[in-house]
């Protein structure tokens, strides 16, 4: 339609009124184009409540400028939730409710990679060994349950089964999660033939979760047939055919280096430390002083080359320390050596023995002090000592592993001012699969305090709200004794400012709708005692403005650790998290006189003005987000009520793919044909004339006067108040659909007059509507149409059960009689209480605009034609015979410089004139006067020509020719000949001027000139 209007604009009429018409057409097309390009109506949905139960941390999310398809119907609603923490204790529930109906479902388990299979537990798997050897052919994997706490008891936790897949075969073993830590370790021994291939190979590790065996709480044998397809990956481990040494080298001075084992030692274990000498060492005597604490002894000192060096061992015991002095002498000269002088060679081995029961079951360190002495060495050099600590433990500690309850953290501290914490526990993994928690002598440090911080006791990582950014894989280091471990987490930070979404940014006054309460900003006047009840009620009512829903949204993102600018968004760049429940306590309206925020979710207009909603930071005075809004005194009407009957709620849940915790819930209203005594709730949407929609739940139920009527008598009854905004009970129904007519009134205290015309109305069908014929007429007033049944609800009538014995249900005949009697008594002013206009579609608006343009074009065309006719009727030349002296209508002026050309034109106009009458009879070279009159033949249009010319000596002057046309007289005098011309003379100059002209033209005879001038004067 819009394209057709634009095409017709090119065919606009042209003429004197054409530009104005084109301007009007352009303006009209602009209005129509704006209407055609206007945004569609707001999305509508079933205003049912969707909420998650037993989910500790979750958010509602939505895509930018996108609404789910289910949110375009009055009978359905869809929302997406993001669950951040797993839920080992119990599966969370999602509840959908629209009073008095409700339903709930268990949220389906998470979907895990790589096979997109749901799993009921969120497990973190940590491989302790990166490589195994024939001496230690065990692969150890720690499994940890993330998330909240779980119920006690061994039977409530599952088993984890580890699968090792090697080209030479497969191996399997399971472990059961410990309730105290929510973790377990699988120690899987590889067969010896896996190491016999002569080179390093790799084995792939994967795991499966299975329920614990009944009774004992252990793990069953498990199946191995589908391990490759169903198992979740852990990683790989390297199989080395030889055992590499594990030691640490520490230099004692420039020539001597100490090599010590880099593994914890067990009580009663014998281990050795080796001294290395450079080849350029030239000293012949070397003394090594070793000081150890009780529980550790030096048993022997053995030279690596007894032929070159000898060693003497002396022991000295004290109360706290034992000192051992080893003196080495060179026994013989060193032979020639072609190796580099900086290379190291073994020089001396020192054997140590750890006493039994010295650690008490806890890993402790035993310091060993090493000091080298040379003959003739300076006394200050003896102070140079090296302390080496030996980790002694009764347990075979293999690794230190930090256990965190979550691996990602959403930093909401800048929005709420409350720190976000993730608890961390440190455990050690022993040989044999034992787990022991470590609580003392722990150290920790965060690699980036601008993203994540760690507590002083190393039992939690947290964000306090001062962090400037987020990151993926931020590292936190932990250490205990000589063991170190790292924990990597992802921190999502909000990208400010907040996005404040209003369903309507301009709130207008609703026509004819007043609600109880004094006017905003105006003190309520005192009512006199003798005032009428209606006046007191009207004085206690105020204007009703539109309301709008409010949502606070923000995207969360993680910054790259390398300082780049490319952000990683939670869920995606077009997803926003709803943080309304977090920032609502910190949101306010700048000017509370203009609008107010109720419950942090509903914006209520109070009086005309412009203001804004702002959210201030709880940690500082900065503004986190702001949105402008306006409240105007422009009036809008409620066009219609959109009604959806609800006789039950259906719910469906689905998992998303953008995040493992994404869950989408969709609920539908059940609106089948009701059974007798079936309770029906009615969902209402208000459609305003400014093309906005709002659910009735945005408005206070005390401000809504709603009435329901049915065409069949006794078909409906009022329902009990159980939270529903409007509900009825179907007492009886026929075989066809039952229409319900719903009307909206102002509340009872603010209704003007007895007529009480509704603000708007709507119709809902219970069951299947009839075949599409003429739509049923909407009731414009309660006293309309045939006998029916009506159930009215209001602030007072509904609580009191209505008027009469029916408790709020009465026939329309009775209501019509009451209103008819009321009209005779009183007819109050109801200028605002007018029936709501019917909705006009876009097609009708366009057709009306096009019809108006055509009517305007026709009117302009008619006016233009009338003006044209009147103008040119007045321009007809006058009758020359009747009024010879009347002014001539046209004067033609010719400018030229050629006298001969002028003469030829005069000759053509009067070819038959006598010489004495038609031209200048005299010629003169010096001067003279001449006057020429040219006459046209009779019977046509006669004309007279006068030429005034002047010629100076030696030059040429411009010639000016005046030609005047006049109509011939209607009849010639009888005495004139038929061919005589009709001459109308015009006095073109005085006597002196004519004389001057003739002289210039060469006239010589004065008598001739005088007679010619007298003849001219006589004719004029």
């Amino acid at each position: 339609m819009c394209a057709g209007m634009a095409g017709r604009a090119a065919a606009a009429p042209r003429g004197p009124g054409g530009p104005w018409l084109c301007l009007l057409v352009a303006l009209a097309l602009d209005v129509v184009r704006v209407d055609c390009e206007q945004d569609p109506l707001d999305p509508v949905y079933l205003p049912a409540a969707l909420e998650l139960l037993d989910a500790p941390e979750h958010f509602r999310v939505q895509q930018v400028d996108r609404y789910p398809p289910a949110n375009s119907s009055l009978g359905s609603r869809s929302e997406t939730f993001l669950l951040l923490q797993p839920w080992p204790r119990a599966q969370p529930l999602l509840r959908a409710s629209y009073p008095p109906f409700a339903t709930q479902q268990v949220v389906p388990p998470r979907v895990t990679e790589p096979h997109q299979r749901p799993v009921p537990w969120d497990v973190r798997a940590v491989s302790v060994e990166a490589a195994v050897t024939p001496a230690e052919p065990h692969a150890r994997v720690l499994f940890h349950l993330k998330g909240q706490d779980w119920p006690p008891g061994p039977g409530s936790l599952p088993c984890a089964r580890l699968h090792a897949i090697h080209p030479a075969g497969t191996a399997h073993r399971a472990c059961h999660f410990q309730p105290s830590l929510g973790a377990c370790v699988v120690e899987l021994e590889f067969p010896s033939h896996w190491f016999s291939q002569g080179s390093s190979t790799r084995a792939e590790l994967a795991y499966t979760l299975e329920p614990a065996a009944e009774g004992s709480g252990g793990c069953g044998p498990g199946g191995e047939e589908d391990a490759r397809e169903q198992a979740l990956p852990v990683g790989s481990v390297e199989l080395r055919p030889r055992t590499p040494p594990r030691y640490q080298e520490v230099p004692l001075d420039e020539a001597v280096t100490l090599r010590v084992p880099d593994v914890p030692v067990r009580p009663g274990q014998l281990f050795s430390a080796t001294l290395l000498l450079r080849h350029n060492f030239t000293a012949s005597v070397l003394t090594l002083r070793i000081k150890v604490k009780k529980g550790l002894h030096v048993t022997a000192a053995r030279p690596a080359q007894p032929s070159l060096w000898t060693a003497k061992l002396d022991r000295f015991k004290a109360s706290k320390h034992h000192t051992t002095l080893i003196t080495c002498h060179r026994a013989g000269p060193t032979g020639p050596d072609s190796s580099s002088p900086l290379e190291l060679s073994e020089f001396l081995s020192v054997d140590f023995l750890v006493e039994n029961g010295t650690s008490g079951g806890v890993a402790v360190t035993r310091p060993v002090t090493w000091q080298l002495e040379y003959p003739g060495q300076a006394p200050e050099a003896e102070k140079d000592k090296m302390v080496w600590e030996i980790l002694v433990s009764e347990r075979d500690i293999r690794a230190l592993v930090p256990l965190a309850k979550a691996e990602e953290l959403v930093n909401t501290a800048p929005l709420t001012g409350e720190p976000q914490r993730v608890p961390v526990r440190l455990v050690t993994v022993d040989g044999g699969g034992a787990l022991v928690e470590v609580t003392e002598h722990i150290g920790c440090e965060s690699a980036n305090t601008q993203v994540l911080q760690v507590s002083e006791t190393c039992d939690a990582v947290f964000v306090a709200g001062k962090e400037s950014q987020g990151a993926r894989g931020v590292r936190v280091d932990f250490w205990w004794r000589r063991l170190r471990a790292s924990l990597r987490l992802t921190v999502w930070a909000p990208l400010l400012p907040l996005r404040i979404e209003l369903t309507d940014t301009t709130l207008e006054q609703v026509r004819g709708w007043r609600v109880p309460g004094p006017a905003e900003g105006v003190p309520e006047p005192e009512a006199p005692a003798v005032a009428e009840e209606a006046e007191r009620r009207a004085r206690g009512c105020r204007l009703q403005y539109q309301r709008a829903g409010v949502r606070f949204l923000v995207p969360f993102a993680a910054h790259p650790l390398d300082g780049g600018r490319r952000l990683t968004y939670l869920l995606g760049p077009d997803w926003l998290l709803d943080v309304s429940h977090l920032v609502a306590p910190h949101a306010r309206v700048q000017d509370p006189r203009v609008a107010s925020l109720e419950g942090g979710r509903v914006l209520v207009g109070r009086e005309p003005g412009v203001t804004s909603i702002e959210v201030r930071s709880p940690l500082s005075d900065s503004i986190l987000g702001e949105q402008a809004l306006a409240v105007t005194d422009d009036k809008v009407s409620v066009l219609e009520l959109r009604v959806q009957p609800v006789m039950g709620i259906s719910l469906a849940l689905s998992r998303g793919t953008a995040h493992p915790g994404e869950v989408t819930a969709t609920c539908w209203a059940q609106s089948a044909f009701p059974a007798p005594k079936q309770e029906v709730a009615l969902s209402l949407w208000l459609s305003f004339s400014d093309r906005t929609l709002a659910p009735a739940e945005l408005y206070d139920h005390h401000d809504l006067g709603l009435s329901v009527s049915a065409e069949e008598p006794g078909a409906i009854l009022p329902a009990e108040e159980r939270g529903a905004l409007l509900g009825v009970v179907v007492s009886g129904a026929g075989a066809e659909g039952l229409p319900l007519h719903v009307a909206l009134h102002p509340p009872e205290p603010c209704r003007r007059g007895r007529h009480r015309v509704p603000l708007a109305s709507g119709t809902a069908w219970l069951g299947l509507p009839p075949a599409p014929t003429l739509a049923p007429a909407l009731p414009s007033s309660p006293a309309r149409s045939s006998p029916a049944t009506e159930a009215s609800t209001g602030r007072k009538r509904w609580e009191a059960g209505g008027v009469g014995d029916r408790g709020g249900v009465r026939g329309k005949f009775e209501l019509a009689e009451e209103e008819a009697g009321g009209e005779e008594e009183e007819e109050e002013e109801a200028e605002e209480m007018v029936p709501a206009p019917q909705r006009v579609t876009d097609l009708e608006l366009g057709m009306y605009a096009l019809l108006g343009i055509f009517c305007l074009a026709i009117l302009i065309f008619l006016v233009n034609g009338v003006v044209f006719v009147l103008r040119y009727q007045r321009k007809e030349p006058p009758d020359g015979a009747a009024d010879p002296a009347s002014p001539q209508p046209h004067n033609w002026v010719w400018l030229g410089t050629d006298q001969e050309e002028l003469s030829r034109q005069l000759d053509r106009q009067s070819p038959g004139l006598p010489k004495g009458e038609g031209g200048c009879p005299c010629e003169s070279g010096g001067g003279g006067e001449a006057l020429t009159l040219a006459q046209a033949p009779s019977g046509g249009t006669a004309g007279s020509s006068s030429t005034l010319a002047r010629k100076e000596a030696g030059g040429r002057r411009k010639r000016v020719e005046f030609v005047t046309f006049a109509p011939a007289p209607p009849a010639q005098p009888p005495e004139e000949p038929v061919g005589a011309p009709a001459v109308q003379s015009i006095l073109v100059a005085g006597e002196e001027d004519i004389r001057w002209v003739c002289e210039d033209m060469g006239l010589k005879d004065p008598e001739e000139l005088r007679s010619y001038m007298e003849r001219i004067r006589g004719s004029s």
Side-chain angles (χ1 to χ4, degrees):
M1 184 184 69
C2 299
M5 293 181 185
R8 294 184 182 95
R14 303 180 182 274
W20 293 102
L21 181 59
C22 292
L23 179 60
L24 291 174
V25 171
L27 292 176
L29 286 179
D30 185 66
V31 172
V32 175
R33 185 181 299 110
V34 169
D35 183 76
C36 293
E37 296 177 356
Q38 191 171 4
D39 294 336
L41 292 174
D42 299 334
V44 294
Y45 53 87
L46 178 68
L50 296 173
E51 55 182 348
L52 273 170
L53 306 177
D54 297 330
E57 186 177 5
H58 65 277
F59 292 90
R60 300 173 190 263
V61 296
Q62 76 172 41
Q63 287 184 284
V64 179
D65 298 331
R66 293 183 184 178
Y67 295 92
N71 289 354
S72 59
S73 170
L74 290 173
S76 61
R77 184 179 188 180
S78 178
E79 279 201 23
T80 302
F81 297 86
L82 177 64
L83 287 80
L84 296 176
Q85 291 188 3
W87 48 93
R89 178 182 294 275
Q91 294 289 93
L93 298 176
L94 202 149
R95 176 183 174 88
S97 61
Y98 191 83
F101 309 105
T103 184
Q104 61 185 19
Q105 285 188 16
V106 176
V107 176
R110 288 188 173 216
V111 176
T112 57
E113 297 288 347
H115 307 294
Q116 296 292 322
R117 294 189 306 104
V119 293
W121 303 90
D122 191 5
V123 177
R124 176 192 176 204
V126 180
S127 180
V128 176
E129 279 85 11
V132 295
T133 61
E136 291 287 340
H138 298 89
R140 300 175 182 88
V141 177
L142 182 146
F143 296 96
H144 173 228
L145 294 176
K146 297 184 295 183
Q148 60 181 355
D149 296 333
W150 41 87
S156 60
L157 298 181
C159 290
R161 185 171 298 276
L162 180 64
H163 307 271
I165 304 171
H166 189 266
T170 60
H172 311 272
R173 192 170 182 180
C175 71
H176 184 245
F177 286 91
Q178 302 178 13
S180 58
L181 295 174
C184 69
V185 176
V186 174
E187 188 175 69
L188 180 61
E189 183 178 0
F190 293 158
S192 59
H193 65 274
W194 287 14
F195 300 91
S196 61
Q197 298 185 6
S199 61
S200 298
T201 58
R202 305 196 71 86
E204 298 295 330
L205 302 179
Y207 74 96
T208 56
L209 296 178
E210 57 189 41
E214 298 181 359
S216 62
C219 300
E224 303 178 1
E225 53 276 1
D226 297 332
R228 290 179 179 267
E229 298 180 359
Q230 299 181 0
L232 302 174
V234 175
S236 62
V237 62
E238 183 181 2
L239 280 70
R240 298 175 181 175
R242 293 179 300 274
T243 302
R246 297 178 61 185
Y247 55 81
Q248 181 181 5
E249 293 184 353
V250 181
L252 296 179
D253 61 6
E254 296 180 355
V256 182
T257 300
L258 178 64
R259 178 184 293 172
V260 292
D262 192 19
V263 292
V265 296
R266 306 285 295 276
Q269 180 180 353
L270 182 66
F271 66 94
S272 299
T274 304
L275 270 70
L276 307 176
L277 287 181
R278 297 190 184 275
H279 289 178
N280 59 355
F281 183 75
T282 58
S284 59
V285 178
L286 174 64
T287 301
L288 179 61
R289 190 180 299 272
I290 303 175
K291 183 182 294 186
V292 297
K293 285 187 176 182
K294 289 184 177 181
L296 192 64
H297 302 278
V298 178
T299 60
R302 298 174 286 104
Q305 298 179 354
S307 60
L308 298 180
W309 291 90
T310 60
K312 180 183 178 182
L313 183 63
D314 298 320
R315 297 184 179 90
F316 304 93
K317 294 184 179 181
S319 60
K320 295 183 178 180
H321 298 84
H322 299 315
T323 302
T324 302
L325 190 63
I326 303 176
T327 305
C328 300
H329 293 269
R330 191 184 294 272
T334 304
D337 192 355
S338 60
S339 61
S340 172
L342 298 180
E343 289 185 4
L344 296 174
S345 60
E346 294 185 1
F347 162 66
L348 183 68
S349 296
V350 181
D351 297 334
F352 293 85
L353 177 63
V354 181
E355 295 181 357
N356 291 324
T358 57
S359 62
V362 180
V364 295
T365 57
R366 299 294 184 181
V368 180
T369 304
W370 302 78
Q371 183 179 0
L372 289 176
E373 300 176 0
Y374 299 98
Q377 189 177 20
E380 59 271 8
E382 297 180 1
K383 299 180 182 179
D384 297 337
K385 302 176 182 180
M386 195 279 296
V387 179
W388 167 55
E389 291 184 347
I390 300 176
L391 183 63
V392 180
S393 175
E394 292 184 356
R395 298 183 288 112
D396 183 14
I397 300 178
R398 294 292 179 172
L400 178 70
V401 180
L403 306 180
K405 302 191 75 171
E407 291 183 333
E408 65 177 350
L409 176 64
V410 176
N411 185 7
T412 59
L415 307 178
T416 62
E418 300 177 0
Q420 297 288 113
R421 298 171 58 91
V422 175
V424 179
R425 306 172 74 176
L426 286 178
V427 297
T428 57
V429 181
D430 296 354
L435 285 177
V436 178
E437 184 177 2
V438 179
T439 58
E440 297 180 353
H441 309 291
I442 304 173
C444 53
E445 183 183 9
S446 175
N448 191 342
T449 57
Q450 296 296 323
V451 177
L452 187 64
Q453 303 183 50
V454 61
S455 62
E456 295 182 357
T457 57
C458 302
D459 60 347
V461 292
F462 67 94
V463 287
K466 299 296 184 180
E467 293 77 17
S468 59
Q469 60 185 6
R472 299 193 67 179
V474 60
R475 190 183 78 254
V476 180
D477 298 323
F478 298 88
W479 58 86
W480 177 74
R481 303 299 183 183
R482 297 174 57 210
L483 301 178
R484 301 183 67 90
S486 297
L487 177 65
R488 293 187 177 271
L489 296 95
T490 298
V491 179
W492 304 101
L495 296 182
L496 301 176
L498 293 172
R499 176 172 175 173
I500 303 177
E501 186 179 81
L502 301 179
T503 56
D504 190 2
T505 57
T506 302
L507 306 182
E508 299 171 335
Q509 178 184 344
V510 183
R511 188 187 306 274
W513 194 354
R514 293 179 179 270
V515 295
E520 297 292 338
V522 179
E524 185 178 0
E526 297 182 0
V530 295
E532 297 180 357
E533 179 67 21
E535 294 180 356
R536 287 200 304 267
R537 290 187 303 176
R539 189 176 298 111
C541 296
R542 56 181 172 85
L543 299 175
Q544 173 73 294
Y545 290 89
Q546 290 177 305
R547 297 190 175 193
V550 185
R551 298 183 73 182
F552 301 92
L553 308 172
V554 65
F556 282 81
H559 298 72
L561 292 175
D562 56 0
R565 297 184 178 180
R566 187 173 183 179
L567 303 179
T568 302
Y569 291 87
L570 179 61
L571 290 179
D574 57 343
W575 285 89
L576 301 174
L577 272 67
D578 188 349
V579 293
S580 302
H581 61 290
L582 300 177
V583 303
H586 311 290
R588 67 180 183 91
V589 179
Q590 283 189 350
D591 191 351
R593 297 173 301 176
V594 176
S596 62
L597 196 61
E598 293 185 356
R601 297 280 186 161
V602 179
L603 183 66
V604 181
R606 297 297 181 186
E607 64 180 35
V610 178
T611 183
S612 64
I613 299 178
E614 64 180 17
V615 179
R616 289 194 173 270
S617 172
L619 302 175
S620 63
D621 293 334
S622 60
I623 296 178
L624 302 180
E626 189 175 12
Q627 173 64 48
L629 64 101
V631 180
T632 67
D633 54 0
D634 298 338
K635 296 182 179 180
V636 295
S637 302
V638 185
L639 296 180
E640 63 174 341
L641 292 180
R642 300 190 178 186
V643 188
Q644 172 66 40
V646 181
M647 287 172 280
I649 292 291
S650 300
L651 180 63
L653 304 180
S654 61
R655 278 288 187 176
T657 58
H659 190 275
E662 180 186 353
V663 179
T664 300
T666 304
C667 64
W668 296 274
Q670 298 176 3
S671 57
F673 191 78
K677 307 302 181 181
Q678 170 74 47
E679 187 171 359
V680 179
L682 298 178
S683 170
L684 305 177
W685 279 75
L686 280 65
S687 177
F688 294 97
S689 57
D690 61 349
R691 298 181 58 86
T692 59
L693 296 169
E697 283 75 11
L698 287 181
Y699 294 85
D700 191 349
H701 69 280
H702 297 296
D703 298 339
L704 297 171
L706 299 171
S707 62
V708 185
S709 61
E711 295 182 356
E712 299 181 9
I716 58 174
L717 296 172
E720 298 180 1
E721 290 190 0
R722 294 194 294 170
L725 185 64
L726 181 62
V728 296
V729 175
V730 180
S731 59
E736 298 180 354
L738 177 64
L740 297 181
H741 305 298
V742 183
L744 171 65
H745 300 265
E748 181 69 24
C750 299
R751 299 189 188 182
R752 294 185 177 181
R754 302 268 184 171
H755 196 56
R756 297 174 180 176
V757 179
L759 299 176
S761 58
T763 301
W765 282 86
L766 301 182
L768 296 177
T773 56
L774 294 178
L778 297 179
S780 60
S781 67
R784 177 181 176 180
S785 75
S786 59
T789 301
E790 178 175 334
S792 301
T793 171
R795 182 175 181 180
K796 293 184 178 179
R797 291 176 57 191
W798 193 254
E799 295 176 357
V803 180
D805 298 334
R806 300 186 181 181
V809 180
R810 51 183 179 167
K812 277 195 172 181
F813 281 131
E814 301 175 8
L815 186 60
E817 293 175 359
E818 293 178 4
E819 292 185 354
E823 290 176 359
E824 297 178 358
E825 297 176 0
E826 179 183 7
E827 185 65 32
E828 298 183 358
E829 180 184 3
E831 57 178 1
E832 293 181 343
M833 311 294 281
V834 296
Q838 296 295 330
R839 176 174 173 78
V840 182
T841 63
D842 295 341
L843 179 61
E844 292 174 345
L845 289 176
M847 296 303 296
Y848 292 154
L850 188 60
L851 181 60
I853 292 173
F854 287 160
C855 294
L856 184 62
I858 294 172
L859 180 62
I860 293 177
F861 178 78
L862 294 177
V863 172
N864 191 17
V866 171
V867 171
F868 180 82
V869 172
L870 294 177
R871 177 183 299 173
Y872 285 98
Q873 281 181 351
R874 297 173 184 174
K875 294 299 181 178
E876 292 183 358
D879 191 353
D883 190 8
S886 62
Q888 304 300 320
H890 294 288
N891 295 324
W892 299 89
V893 181
W894 179 82
L895 302 177
T897 57
D898 193 351
Q899 183 177 2
E900 289 77 13
E901 180 66 20
L902 179 60
S903 301
R904 285 195 295 270
Q905 293 179 4
L906 295 176
D907 292 341
R908 285 196 297 269
Q909 293 177 4
S910 55
L913 290 177
K915 184 176 181 180
E917 297 179 2
C920 189
C922 55
E923 295 180 0
S924 175
E929 295 182 356
L931 182 64
T932 305
L933 294 176
Q935 299 178 353
S938 60
T941 301
S944 64
S945 301
S946 300
T947 303
L948 178 64
R950 182 175 182 180
K951 186 175 183 181
E952 298 181 355
R956 305 178 63 182
R957 296 290 184 267
K958 292 184 179 181
R959 304 298 189 262
V960 182
E961 178 183 4
F962 298 92
V963 180
T964 302
F965 300 93
Q972 296 291 342
E975 62 271 9
E976 292 185 1
V978 178
V983 179
Q984 182 178 3
S985 301
I986 299 177
L987 183 61
V988 297
E991 182 178 352
E992 296 180 357
D993 294 332
I994 295 176
R995 184 181 299 110
W996 169 76
V997 171
C998 290
E999 290 178 357
D1000 188 54
M1001 297 177 62
L1003 298 177
K1004 297 180 181 180
D1005 191 356
E1007 295 294 334
E1008 204 175 12
L1009 177 60
R1010 186 177 298 106
S1011 61
Y1012 183 72
M1013 292 177 63
E1014 290 177 355
R1015 187 168 60 253
I1016 291 176
R1017 291 173 181 173
S1019 61
S1020 61

